[in-house]
């Protein structure tokens, strides 16, 4: 199930409004009941108090004085309009602040409901001795008071809810606007558009999302660059041996030795390609183990001494006992490719030296030679992994790409430097993490 954040924000706003309205309704109901209880209790208390006062006065008040007292004490009209009637059960008389001749009903009743003068009345009846006091209030006055209560409660509640809703809308718009811009920028891009997303926003979460998207794009761009470089390396490396084989096979008397050499070269290239493909899968780190580099590199050097001897290139080594976490197969391929580059590009009479030491606490493998060397601009490109040259034109081919990937897998850095003693040649450094 999918949904838009704007719809979720709308649902949240509706929920807030519904909750506010529900709170207003509940508050009104509670306030109405409490207010009605207060008015009824006040009405009942006034009736009881009036009955007690009249009973205490005895015969001091006559009927005219009592009527005048009731008319003065209780307004016949207005918001506080009350209907008061005093019955004397002993004398059989009644006095009221309103002109009527309604006889006393059940003297034992407490709550009363009557219709008089076109209005519904509600109140209480109090008995004190031979006196019965009825005190009633019009029902429509209750409703007027209720409307005032509703207005006093609803108005600030609705105003507060509208203000909260406005603030919520501004907050949601402020939060979703940069996210919407980010989504639109991504929607308009194609698979080749890997430029960083330009989005200015003060929201920390959106900044993190933007940076994560840009980091992902950079990663995808790096992968595509490596894939393109891999394809270019494959095409470049396979072209020369395949061309040689084609020419030899097309001749009337093919040179079998040359063809055999090119087949061997193709076999090594396929092996290199398989190694590079496995490196791109990124599964090697799962099999890392402590590796004694001196022992491993010593075996590699022994296998290469004969080839260096035949090429009349001197090979010296100085290996200190050092261990790193890694894959022995990859580390062997690393040194083997570096030595093959020396053998392929150094003329007879050169010298090569392999040193394994720990100068600053981190293991450092150095492979240096006294060959023709490489100019500084090329060395910088080779150190960044952005340059390549085939083996026939003085470069390093797929072996260099593999060396870079092996170093990257092991968290090491691969650098190409000039010899520090000023002689011609190349110095390759592989610095492993300590």
């Amino acid at each position: 199930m999918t949904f838009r954040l704007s719809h979720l924000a709308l649902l949240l706003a509706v929920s807030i409004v519904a909750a506010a309205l529900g709170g207003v309704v509940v508050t009104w109901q509670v306030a109405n009941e409490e207010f009605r209880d207060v008015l009824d209790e006040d009405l009942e208390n006034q009736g009881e108090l009036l009955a007690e006062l009249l009973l205490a006065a005895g015969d001091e008040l006559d009927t005219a004085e009592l009527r005048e007292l009731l008319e003065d004490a209780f307004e016949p009209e207005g918001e506080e309009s009350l209907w008061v009637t005093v019955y004397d059960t002993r004398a059989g008389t009644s006095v009221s602040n309103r002109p009527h001749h309604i006889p006393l009903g059940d003297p034992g009743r407490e709550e009363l409901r009557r219709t008089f003068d076109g209005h519904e009345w509600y109140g209480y009846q109090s008995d004190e001795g031979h006196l019965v006091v009825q005190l009633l209030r019009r029902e429509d006055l209750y409703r007027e008071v209720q409307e005032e209560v509703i207005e006093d409660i609803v108005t600030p509640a609705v105003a507060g809810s509208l203000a909260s809703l406005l603030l919520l809308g501004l907050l949601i718009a402020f939060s979703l606007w940069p996210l919407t811009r980010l989504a639109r920028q991504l929607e308009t891009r194609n698979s080749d558009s890997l430029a960083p997303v330009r989005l200015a926003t003060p929201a920390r979460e959106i900044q993190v999302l933007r940076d994560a998207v840009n980091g992902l794009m950079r990663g995808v761009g790096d992968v595509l660059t490596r894939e393109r470089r891999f394809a270019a390396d494959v095409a470049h490396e396979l072209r020369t041996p395949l061309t040689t084989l084609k020419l030899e096979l097309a001749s009337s008397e093919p040179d079998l030795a040359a063809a055999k050499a090119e087949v061997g070269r193709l076999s090594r290239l396929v092996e290199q390609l398989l190694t590079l493909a496995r490196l791109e899968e990124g599964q090697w780190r799962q099999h890392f183990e402590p590796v004694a580099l001196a022992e491993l590199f010593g075996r590699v050097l022994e296998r290469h001494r004969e080839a260096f001897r035949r090429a009349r290139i001197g090979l010296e080594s100085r290996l200190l006992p050092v261990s790193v976490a890694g894959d022995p197969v990859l580390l062997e391929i690393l040194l083997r490719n570096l030595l093959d580059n020396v053998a392929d590009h150094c003329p007879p009479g050169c010298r090569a030296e392999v040193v394994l030491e720990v100068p600053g606490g981190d293991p450092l493998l150095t492979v240096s030679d006294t060959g023709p060397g490489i100019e500084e601009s090329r060395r910088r490109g080779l150190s960044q992994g952005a340059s390549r040259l085939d083996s026939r034109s003085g470069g390093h081919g797929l072996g260099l790409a593999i060396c870079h990937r092996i170093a990257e897998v092991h968290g090491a850095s691969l650098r190409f430097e000039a010899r520090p003693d000023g002689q011609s040649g190349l110095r390759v450094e592989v610095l492993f993490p300590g």
Side-chain angles (χ1 to χ4, degrees):
M1 182 182 68
T2 60
F3 60 90
R4 289 184 175 272
L5 291 179
S6 56
H7 295 168
L8 183 61
L10 179 61
L11 178 61
L12 180 60
V14 172
S15 301
I16 292 177
V17 173
L21 293 178
V24 169
V25 172
V26 172
T27 302
W28 174 79
Q29 290 178 345
V30 173
N32 180 46
E33 293 177 0
E34 293 291 335
F35 186 75
R36 183 63 182 257
D37 292 340
V38 170
L39 290 181
D40 291 347
E41 185 178 357
D42 177 66
L43 201 63
E44 186 177 5
N45 292 336
Q46 288 189 59
E48 293 177 355
L49 179 61
L50 179 60
E52 292 176 356
L53 291 175
L54 293 177
L55 184 63
D59 297 332
E60 295 180 1
L61 294 175
D62 58 15
T63 302
E65 292 176 342
L66 181 58
R67 178 176 289 108
E68 184 178 357
L69 175 65
L70 295 179
E71 291 178 353
D72 292 341
F74 299 97
E75 296 182 16
E77 299 294 340
E79 293 183 356
E80 299 296 330
S81 178
L82 296 175
W83 177 14
V84 185
T85 304
V86 179
Y87 292 92
D88 188 342
T89 58
R90 185 175 59 185
T93 59
S94 64
V95 179
S96 177
N97 65 338
R98 293 179 178 273
H100 74 90
H101 302 284
I102 300 177
L104 177 64
D106 184 2
R109 294 185 60 185
E110 292 186 355
E111 294 187 10
L112 293 178
R113 287 189 179 275
R114 286 188 174 181
T115 302
F116 174 71
D117 197 19
H119 299 287
E120 294 292 329
W121 298 77
Y122 172 81
Y124 292 89
Q125 179 172 287
S126 301
D127 299 344
E128 292 292 339
H130 62 280
L131 296 179
V132 178
V133 177
Q134 294 181 350
L135 189 60
L136 299 93
R137 177 179 280 112
R138 281 167 38 185
E139 283 287 351
D140 59 325
L141 297 181
Y142 276 114
R143 288 191 292 272
E144 291 179 3
V145 173
Q146 289 174 355
E147 291 175 358
E148 293 180 0
V149 172
I150 291 175
E151 182 179 354
D152 293 339
I153 293 176
V154 171
T155 300
V158 170
S161 298
L162 290 177
S164 300
L165 187 61
L166 178 60
L167 291 176
L168 177 63
L170 293 176
L171 179 61
I172 292 176
F174 180 76
S175 302
L176 293 184
W177 179 66
L179 190 60
T180 302
R181 287 183 57 199
L182 177 61
R184 288 176 179 173
Q185 286 191 39
L186 296 178
E187 287 176 349
T188 56
R189 295 189 174 210
N190 54 36
S191 58
D192 295 328
S193 301
L194 298 177
V197 175
R198 304 298 180 184
L199 180 64
T201 172
R204 175 60 180 168
E205 291 76 8
I206 305 300
Q207 292 177 1
V208 172
L209 179 60
R210 177 200 61 198
D211 295 341
V213 170
N214 288 337
L216 179 61
M217 287 185 175
R218 284 193 298 270
V220 173
D222 293 341
V223 171
L224 291 178
T225 300
R226 288 200 302 267
E227 293 295 332
R228 295 188 183 104
R229 188 182 303 151
F230 175 78
D233 288 342
V234 170
H236 201 84
E237 293 291 342
L238 292 178
R239 181 174 56 190
T240 300
L242 289 178
T243 301
T244 302
L245 282 175
K246 182 179 179 181
L247 293 176
E248 292 294 338
L249 294 176
S251 65
S252 57
E253 296 181 0
D255 187 346
L256 296 182
K260 183 178 180 180
E262 294 301 329
V263 169
R265 185 180 177 193
L266 283 174
S267 177
R268 290 193 300 272
L269 285 175
V270 170
E271 180 183 355
Q272 298 275 52
L273 292 174
L274 290 176
T275 301
L276 189 57
R278 294 180 64 190
L279 280 169
E280 295 297 336
E281 292 177 2
Q283 304 297 323
W284 292 90
R285 191 176 294 275
Q286 301 176 5
H287 309 289
F288 275 9
E289 60 187 39
V291 179
L293 293 183
E295 298 179 7
L296 177 66
F297 291 163
R299 293 192 296 268
V300 177
L301 288 170
E302 287 300 322
R303 289 196 294 268
H304 278 73
R305 289 191 185 278
E306 179 61 26
F308 272 67
R309 188 187 63 79
R310 290 196 303 266
R312 291 186 296 164
I313 299 175
L315 179 59
E316 301 176 1
S317 63
R318 180 164 51 88
L319 307 177
L320 297 181
V322 176
S323 295
V324 298
D327 186 277
V329 176
L330 293 181
L331 294 173
E332 180 178 339
I333 294 174
L334 172 64
L335 180 56
R336 189 178 67 193
N337 283 351
L338 294 178
L339 292 176
D340 288 342
N341 282 331
V342 173
D344 290 340
H345 302 97
C346 289
C350 292
R351 289 180 294 102
E353 183 181 23
V354 178
V355 178
L356 179 63
E357 55 188 349
V358 188
D362 295 334
L364 175 64
L365 171 65
T366 303
V367 179
S368 57
D369 60 66
T370 58
I374 303 175
E375 60 271 20
E376 183 180 355
S377 59
R378 284 292 177 86
R379 288 199 305 270
R380 286 198 300 267
L382 292 175
S383 297
Q384 297 171 0
S387 268
R388 65 164 310 282
L389 294 170
D390 63 42
S391 57
R392 293 296 181 86
S393 60
H396 301 270
L398 286 178
L400 175 59
I402 293 175
C403 289
H404 273 290
R405 289 296 292 131
I406 293 176
E408 182 180 346
V409 166
H410 288 82
S413 61
L414 180 64
R415 293 178 300 180
F416 293 79
E417 306 287 347
R419 291 179 59 90
D421 55 11
Q423 298 184 26
S424 63
L426 182 67
R427 174 185 172 95
V428 182
E429 297 179 353
V430 183
L431 182 63
F432 295 92

